[in-house]
């Protein structure tokens, strides 16, 4: 019954993680509190049971736009639903409630302020209500960011009902405190509580450190012209500036911030939802209530104030489960802006001095963790999941850090110079002045501060700005420097700083290899054209655009947003499956019986027309058989490339050389694989095995661990070579002789076989 309803009304073949359990508990008349990330599919968890329960379901929702969209989408799917809010006249409300009383609707959305009006109470007390659903339930908590006083009244409303219905609450906010608030403010009875996994596999994460954000964003948009996206800026001024720039550059952009009039905001939002503009440039005021499913990218022009903010905003990408990209453009200036914004935050007024101090300390700590996200060289997804208290694999293979190669270098001398520089200027400056001094910059600032007289002025000019800053960042991370917590962020020495001057052991940093070389750095790592059509054939892409146009026409005709007619995912699946009959059309993801009735036929006709009714002759490259086995959409959406495996082809392709470093060797092997099918082999995986085998061992020195070669490693064909950095500091590299390379291959082979057994 559930499955059938899922297909008929919603057009899906399977539940997403967590959905079915929630639905089961609701149907067993148990209260529910479900925390699921944005885009995970909360609506379905109450809409589907609402259809199966005898009476009506009342959904409390905070925003008018949100209700309207949901009701439209449901009506399109053949579900009878209505909403009650201030956008209707009293007469319209009376009429809607009459129909509801007469059993015309299965679901009715209502704004919280309306619950206790006499008219609504009258309706509620004389109608069979099966469930009250509280959507965006965090609005009930004063600790959440979107507290709504009218939410507090929900409980007293429930108490006035003759029979207490099932109460279900949904939110994307996971903190313990907010959850407790929801439980107690709604008085949930023995609820089924669930916190769904926070991972969104279809999202690709990337951080780009750059001072030239405008240019980066422009190049990105250029290669994604067909995609819908959101760009978040920290300030209204930022929004206006970027808007003008991109508008002048000929992009289809809109803007949204609280400084605009209500009417202007509303039109702007609608233009975006109805795909009349592709890209929305906005402050964080934009978003709640944006259910648009085909947002293909969320770019952050500035670093947000916390990971909570970031993940919520980024999470608006790819709600349809299709691949989407979340890119954050970071420059250290962002930290400064955010500190200022936090310090001038207005709603601080009502707190006591003590509370204020505590809140500010908390804010700063959140900001600091956000900054770590922007600068870490580890897996971004793992960082996010750990932040939200989930375990994660060390490497996800779908973020910029996992996809990029890192190089190591001995930066002992530069680090020593940083210490000398900070010391000689009396610890009075921040990162930019110190870096500028080492680089020998000839700017007014440097001259005014007399830093051009510093003994280390220009000593690291060869290294380049990016690397010098990377050295300073790494020193901060490892505690060789610290930064003052005020808006000046001055660099200060620590008790460890001196160690870098005697240079007993090298100070090694790892840094991104590619970015410096690649000229097209505006593109994201993968540098793809349009996020969701990249796996279609040439013909398939043409068809996709054709169907997209048709969707736009249909949407206009019925005054609904295009994604309500069919999601991008549904269109793409059509281009993959090329349905020619109604039953084939029903196989398409998101195509239920009702949708088929309304739109399916029209799409079908178009596909028949374009293909001439013959898939093979229309597009010889098209491979329906392969698709039938593993739907492309599924495969790609989940980012499910298989783990690296040493295949015969790869083995055949390996050429042994007299001596090579492990990173070059691994890079050559990775080039031999089919990168569409298989994740890359990582140096980390291999290093772990080498450690297990006892060829390398970890030693702790000067505050961080170093890997050292063992006797066994030497026997296996690895040797170390002392190298001298350009400034005369010794450091070590591991070289693999031919014997060593063969040994590595043996390890990789064993690893592949073990994976297959699992
Ligand atoms: P949120 O949890 O943020 O409220 P929504 O309920 O708006 O998320 O759902 C996000 C998207 O996921 C919608 O486009 C919806 O149609 C889609 N979706 C929900 N459940 C499924 C499912 N079982 N299979 C495929 N898509 C789904
Ligand atoms: Mg929702």
């Amino acid at each position: 019954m559930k499955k059938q309803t899922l297909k008929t009304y919603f057009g899906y073949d399977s539940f997403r993680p967590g959905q079915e359990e929630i639905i089961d508990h609701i149907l067993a008349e148990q209260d529910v509190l479900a925390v699921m990330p944005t885009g995970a599919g909360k609506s379905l968890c109450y809409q589907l049971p609402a259809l199966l329960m005898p009476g009506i379901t009342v959904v409390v929702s905070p925003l008018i736009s949100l209700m309207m969209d949901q009701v439209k989408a449901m009506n399109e799917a053949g579900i009878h639903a209505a909403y009650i809010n201030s956008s209707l006249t009293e007469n319209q409300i009376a009429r809607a409630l009459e129909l509801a009383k007469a059993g015309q609707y299965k679901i009715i959305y209502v704004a919280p302020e309306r619950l206790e009006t006499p008219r609504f109470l009258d309706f509620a007390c004389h109608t069979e209500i099966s469930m009250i659903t509280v959507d965006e339930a965090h609005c009930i908590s004063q600790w959440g960011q979107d507290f709504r006083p009218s939410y507090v009244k929900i409980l007293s409303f429930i108490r006035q009902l003759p029979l207490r219905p099932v109460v279900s609450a949904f939110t994307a906010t996971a903190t313990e405190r907010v959850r407790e608030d929801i439980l107690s403010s709604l008085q949930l009875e023995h609820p089924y509580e669930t916190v769904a996994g926070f991972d969104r596999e279809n999202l690709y994460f990337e951080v780009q450190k750059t001072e030239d954000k405008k240019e980066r964003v422009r190049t990105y948009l250029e290669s994604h012209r067909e995609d819908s996206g959101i760009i978040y800026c920290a300030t209204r001024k930022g929004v206006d500036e970027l808007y003008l720039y991109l508008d002048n550059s000929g992009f289809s952009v809109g803007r949204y911030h609280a400084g605009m009039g209500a009417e202007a905001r509303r039109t702007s939002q609608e233009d975006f939802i109805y795909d009349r503009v592709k890209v929305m440039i906005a402050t964080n005021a934009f978003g709640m209530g944006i259910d648009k499913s085909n947002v293909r990218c969320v770019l952050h022009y500035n670093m947000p104030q916390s990971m909570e903010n970031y993940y919520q905003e980024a999470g608006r990408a790819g709600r349809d489960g299709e691949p989407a990209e979340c890119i954050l453009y970071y420059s250290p200036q962002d930290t400064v802006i955010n500190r200022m914004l936090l310090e001038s935050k207005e709603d601080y007024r009502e707190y006591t001095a003590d509370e204020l101090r505590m809140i500010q300390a908390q804010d700063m700590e959140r900001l600091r963790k956000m900054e770590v996200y922007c600068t870490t060289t580890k897996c971004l997804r793992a960082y996010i999941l750990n932040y939200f208290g989930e375990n994660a694999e060390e490497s996800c293979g779908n973020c910029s850090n996992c996809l990029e190669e890192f190089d190591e270098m001995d930066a002992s001398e530069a680090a020593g110079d940083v210490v000398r520089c900070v010391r000689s200027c009396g610890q009075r400056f921040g990162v930019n002045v110190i870096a500028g001094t080492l680089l020998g910059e000839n700017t007014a600032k440097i001259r005014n501060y007399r830093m051009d007289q510093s003994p280390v002025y220009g000593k690291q000019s060869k290294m380049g700005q990016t690397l010098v800053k990377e050295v300073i960042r790494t020193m901060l991370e490892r505690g060789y420097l610290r930064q003052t917590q005020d808006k000046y962020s001055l660099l200060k020495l620590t008790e460890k700083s001196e160690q870098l001057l005697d240079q007993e052991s090298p100070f090694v940093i790892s840094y991104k290899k590619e970015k410096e070389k690649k000229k097209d750095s505006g593109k994201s790592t993968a540098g793809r054209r349009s996020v969701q059509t990249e796996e279609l054939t040439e013909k398939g892409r043409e068809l996709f655009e054709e169907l997209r146009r048709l969707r736009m026409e249909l949407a206009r005709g019925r005054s609904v947003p295009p994604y309500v007619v069919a999601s991008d995912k549904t269109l793409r699946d059509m281009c993959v499956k090329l349905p020619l009959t109604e039953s084939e059309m029903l196989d398409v993801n998101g195509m239920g019986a009702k949708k088929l009735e309304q739109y399916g036929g029209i799409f079908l006709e178009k596909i028949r027309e374009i293909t001439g009714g013959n898939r093979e002759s229309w597009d010889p490259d098209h491979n329906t058989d392969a698709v039938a086995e593993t739907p492309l959409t599924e495969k790609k959406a989940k980012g499910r490339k298989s783990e690296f495996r040493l295949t015969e082809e790869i083995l055949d392709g390996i050429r042994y050389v007299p001596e090579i470093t492990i990173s070059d060797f691994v890079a050559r092997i990775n080039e031999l694989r089919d990168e569409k099918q298989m994740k890359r082999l990582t140096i980390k995986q291999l290093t772990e095995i080498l450690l297990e085998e006892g060829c390398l061992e970890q030693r702790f020195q000067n505050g961080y661990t170093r890997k050292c070669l063992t006797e066994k490693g030497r026997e296996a064909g690895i040797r170390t070579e002392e190298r001298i950095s350009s400034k005369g500091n010794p450091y070590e590299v591991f070289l693999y002789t031919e014997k060593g390379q063969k040994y590595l291959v043996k390890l990789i082979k064993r690893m592949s076989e073990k994976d297959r057994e699992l």
Side-chain angles (χ1 to χ4, degrees):
M1 195 63 187
K2 265 181 319 189
K3 277 271 162 73
Q4 201 185 328
T5 314
L6 183 69
K7 183 68 196 165
T8 313
Y9 287 96
F10 300 92
Y12 304 130
D13 295 317
S14 57
F15 287 106
R16 288 205 184 142
Q19 286 180 328
E20 190 166 13
E21 291 79 359
I22 295 173
I23 292 170
D24 285 343
H25 282 92
I26 291 180
L27 291 176
E29 298 185 16
Q30 189 181 358
D31 285 359
V32 163
L33 169 55
V35 181
M36 293 166 93
T38 305
K42 290 185 282 292
S43 322
L44 186 97
C45 298
Y46 57 82
Q47 289 169 352
L48 193 146
L51 291 177
L52 298 178
M53 289 192 291
I56 193 170
T57 291
V58 172
V59 182
V60 182
S61 171
L63 290 180
I64 294 180
S65 64
L66 201 101
M67 288 184 214
M68 299 213 255
D69 286 353
Q70 298 239 348
V71 167
K72 259 185 196 158
M74 270 184 291
N75 288 336
E76 289 298 307
I79 301 170
H80 297 284
Y83 55 81
I84 305 288
N85 60 39
S86 58
S87 73
L88 303 181
T89 63
E90 283 303 317
N91 274 341
Q92 286 173 317
I93 291 180
R95 173 97 188 109
L97 289 178
E98 237 167 67
L99 288 174
K101 246 187 196 171
Q104 281 290 306
Y105 302 125
K106 288 308 286 179
I107 301 186
I108 187 159
Y109 280 71
V110 59
E113 309 81 57
R114 295 271 146 189
L115 288 172
E116 292 198 295
T117 57
R119 192 166 259 156
F120 196 81
L121 272 176
D122 173 61
F123 148 78
C125 293
H126 295 95
T127 314
E128 183 185 359
I129 295 181
S130 303
M131 172 162 69
I132 307 274
T133 292
V134 184
D135 202 6
E136 312 287 350
H138 59 280
C139 291
I140 213 167
S141 167
Q142 306 194 20
W143 292 97
Q145 289 165 344
D146 309 297
F147 174 57
R148 309 238 156 183
S150 54
Y151 258 60
V152 178
K153 296 201 192 117
I154 298 174
L155 181 61
S156 84
F157 167 74
I158 295 175
R159 289 195 166 143
Q160 292 175 58
L161 299 176
L163 265 178
R164 185 184 184 280
V166 177
V167 180
S168 56
F170 295 85
T171 175
T173 305
T175 65
E176 192 67 37
R177 177 139 224 172
V178 171
R179 250 186 309 174
E180 276 168 17
D181 270 4
I182 297 174
L183 288 175
S184 67
S185 311
L186 289 174
Q187 298 271 304
L188 296 186
E189 293 177 0
H190 312 289
Y192 166 67
E193 273 187 78
T194 168
V195 179
F198 262 59
D199 189 15
R200 297 270 313 278
E201 287 181 334
N202 60 319
L203 299 187
Y204 161 81
F205 291 96
E206 173 164 342
V207 174
Q208 289 198 21
K209 257 183 269 179
T210 170
E211 298 291 338
D212 192 10
K213 299 181 174 186
K214 267 192 186 143
E215 182 55 24
R216 292 277 175 102
V217 168
R218 199 180 57 79
T219 354
Y220 181 87
L221 294 184
E222 228 146 52
S223 53
H224 296 82
R225 281 206 181 256
E226 294 306 318
D227 292 343
S228 186
I230 306 175
I231 308 177
Y232 280 106
C233 298
T235 61
R236 298 174 191 180
K237 191 164 151 256
V239 169
D240 290 336
E241 278 174 14
L242 189 62
Y243 170 79
L244 282 180
Y245 173 73
L246 292 175
D247 192 43
N248 283 333
S249 314
F251 292 100
S252 161
V253 286
R255 65 177 141 174
Y256 189 105
H257 59 63
M260 293 158 55
E263 183 56 25
R265 278 196 315 228
R266 202 185 54 80
T267 355
S268 186
Q269 171 162 338
E270 246 173 36
D271 284 346
F272 179 65
I273 291 189
Y274 284 78
D275 278 345
R276 291 189 288 260
V277 305
K278 290 277 179 207
V279 176
M280 179 65 102
I281 305 163
T283 59
N284 59 7
F286 179 74
M288 187 150 88
I290 303 301
D291 268 2
K292 194 167 158 57
S293 70
N294 66 339
V295 175
R296 296 268 68 86
C297 62
V298 171
L299 310 183
H300 276 78
Y301 197 71
N302 302 105
M303 173 181 79
Q305 290 173 356
S306 68
M307 289 299 293
E308 282 87 350
N309 290 355
Y310 181 62
Y311 203 49
Q312 185 162 50
E313 287 159 14
R316 298 195 173 114
R319 277 176 180 243
D320 50 12
E322 289 284 273
E325 304 192 332
C326 308
I327 304 176
L328 196 164
Y329 299 91
Y330 168 75
S331 83
Q333 184 66 19
D334 291 336
T335 310
V336 181
I337 297 179
N338 277 315
R339 285 229 176 100
M340 266 162 34
L341 289 174
L342 283 176
E343 275 160 16
S344 62
K345 212 161 123 178
E346 278 183 11
D347 48 3
Y348 278 162
R349 277 170 310 194
E350 58 199 88
Y351 295 104
T352 65
D354 268 355
E355 282 172 339
L356 192 65
R357 250 194 305 281
M358 206 187 74
I359 293 174
Q360 281 181 333
Q362 225 171 42
D363 282 349
M364 289 301 164
E365 180 58 15
R366 287 209 186 114
L367 183 61
R368 196 187 63 77
K369 290 195 171 143
M370 183 72 238
E371 216 182 339
V372 176
Y373 175 82
C374 297
T375 51
T376 183
T377 52
K378 305 218 178 79
C379 171
L380 295 176
R381 188 182 310 276
Y383 185 83
I384 295 172
L385 295 178
N386 290 335
Y387 182 89
F388 291 110
E390 261 182 54
N391 294 327
E393 283 181 38
E394 269 179 293
S395 158
C396 73
N398 194 23
C399 74
S400 52
N401 283 352
C402 286
L403 292 173
E404 239 152 350
E405 305 244 333
F406 286 87
D407 243 355
E408 295 204 328
M409 75 174 282
D410 174 18
S412 315
E413 173 166 326
D417 283 347
V418 171
V419 174
R420 277 179 214 105
C421 188
V422 172
R423 195 169 55 186
S424 69
C425 69
Q427 313 186 40
R428 287 181 301 132
F429 300 117
V431 176
N432 286 330
V433 172
I434 301 297
T437 305
L438 294 187
L439 290 164
E441 281 174 3
N442 184 16
T443 60
K445 205 171 184 180
I446 298 279
R447 286 193 306 270
N448 286 344
Y449 291 146
R450 295 178 173 275
M451 291 304 279
D452 50 350
Q453 318 276 315
S454 163
V456 291
Y457 179 73
K459 267 194 76 186
Q460 299 296 333
S461 55
K462 276 207 195 117
M463 205 170 191
Q465 195 188 51
T466 315
L467 280 181
V468 168
K469 287 196 170 168
E470 190 59 39
V471 171
I472 298 179
R473 192 192 69 73
T474 311
M475 290 171 73
L476 285 165
E477 191 179 277
R478 295 187 194 155
Y480 290 100
L481 284 178
R482 65 180 181 81
Q483 234 168 348
T484 58
Q485 289 300 311
D486 52 21
K487 63 179 168 217
Y488 304 109
S489 302
L490 303 180
L491 291 178
K492 301 281 180 188
L493 299 176
T494 68
E495 64 278 13
K496 278 171 78 179
S497 306
E498 294 289 320
Q499 294 171 14
L500 292 176
L501 294 175
D502 39 13
Q503 298 188 349
E504 291 225 315
S505 72
F507 184 77
V508 179
I509 64 167
S510 73
Y511 63 98
K512 288 184 189 174
K513 203 173 178 178
E514 285 178 330
K515 285 277 161 67
E516 302 291 296
K517 292 183 216 141
K518 259 197 193 163
K519 272 281 159 262
D520 60 343
S521 47
K523 285 184 199 162
S524 62
T525 311
R528 24 196 136 157
R529 36 188 298 169
S530 175
V531 178
Q532 82 246 315
T533 56
E534 56 172 349
E535 288 200 354
L536 293 177
T537 61
E538 201 53 45
K539 285 268 191 184
R541 269 200 284 268
E542 283 167 22
L543 179 63
F544 185 80
E545 292 311 324
E546 200 61 46
L547 296 181
R548 206 144 47 170
R549 271 194 285 280
L550 178 60
R551 176 178 66 179
M552 192 61 149
E553 272 170 40
L554 291 170
R556 285 224 176 96
R558 308 193 113 238
S559 310
V560 295
Y563 64 85
V564 167
V565 173
S567 68
D568 280 8
K569 181 174 183 162
T570 301
L571 292 192
R572 209 178 69 122
D573 209 31
M574 285 185 201
C575 298
V576 169
K577 295 193 173 122
L578 297 179
L580 297 172
T581 64
E582 289 206 344
S583 75
E584 282 174 354
M585 189 55 123
L586 267 180
D587 242 17
V588 165
N589 196 300
M591 196 42 82
K594 298 284 169 185
K595 271 266 159 76
L596 180 67
E597 216 172 90
Q598 275 185 303
Y599 303 113
I602 306 176
F603 282 113
L604 202 55
E605 222 168 87
K606 191 80 188 171
I607 296 171
R608 283 199 197 124
E609 179 197 316
I610 291 183
T611 59
N614 189 332
R615 286 184 272 255
E616 281 68 36
S617 66
W618 175 69
D619 183 8
D621 293 340
H622 182 263
N623 187 350
T624 3
D625 291 346
V627 167
E629 269 170 40
T630 28
L632 202 51
T633 37
E634 288 291 322
K635 209 169 71 194
K636 182 64 194 177
K638 299 263 155 79
R640 265 196 210 132
K641 291 184 188 179
S642 64
E643 290 301 323
F644 179 88
R645 224 165 12 86
L646 194 65
T647 60
E648 290 296 324
E649 287 92 338
I650 298 178
L651 200 56
D652 275 353
I654 297 177
R655 297 280 164 271
Y656 296 97
V657 292
E659 258 182 357
I660 191 167
T661 62
I662 192 165
S663 59
D664 286 343
F665 191 62
V666 168
R668 288 180 180 199
I669 292 185
N670 278 327
E671 267 169 27
L672 296 169
R673 85 196 195 286
D674 177 356
E675 58 177 301
K676 286 218 178 85
Q677 302 291 333
M678 214 188 261
K679 289 191 195 164
R680 60 170 63 223
L681 173 67
T682 65
I683 300 172
K684 189 182 219 158
Q685 284 170 316
L686 265 187
T687 310
E688 266 160 23
I689 301 182
L690 287 167
L691 284 165
E692 263 171 40
E693 291 292 310
C695 294
L696 299 177
E697 65 182 18
Q698 304 259 27
R699 283 198 206 128
F700 196 69
Q701 272 174 352
N702 281 345
Y704 73 105
T705 47
R706 285 184 60 201
K707 294 181 188 67
C708 302
L709 190 61
T710 62
E711 198 43 49
K712 179 159 181 213
R714 260 182 262 280
E715 279 164 20
I718 314 171
R719 70 178 190 91
T720 56
E721 191 174 278
E722 283 269 292
R723 291 204 178 159
I724 308 288
S725 71
S726 58
K727 299 290 167 147
N729 289 308
Y731 68 104
E732 246 182 20
V733 288
F734 296 144
L735 289 174
Y736 290 72
T737 61
E738 192 166 335
K739 183 175 168 199
Q741 294 158 41
K742 289 191 171 140
Y743 179 69
L744 281 182
V745 170
K746 201 174 91 189
L747 294 182
I748 300 170
K749 205 162 164 185
R750 215 178 57 199
M751 182 181 94
S752 307
E753 278 158 10
K754 207 152 81 194
D755 278 350
R756 206 168 331 162
E757 284 164 23
L758 288 177

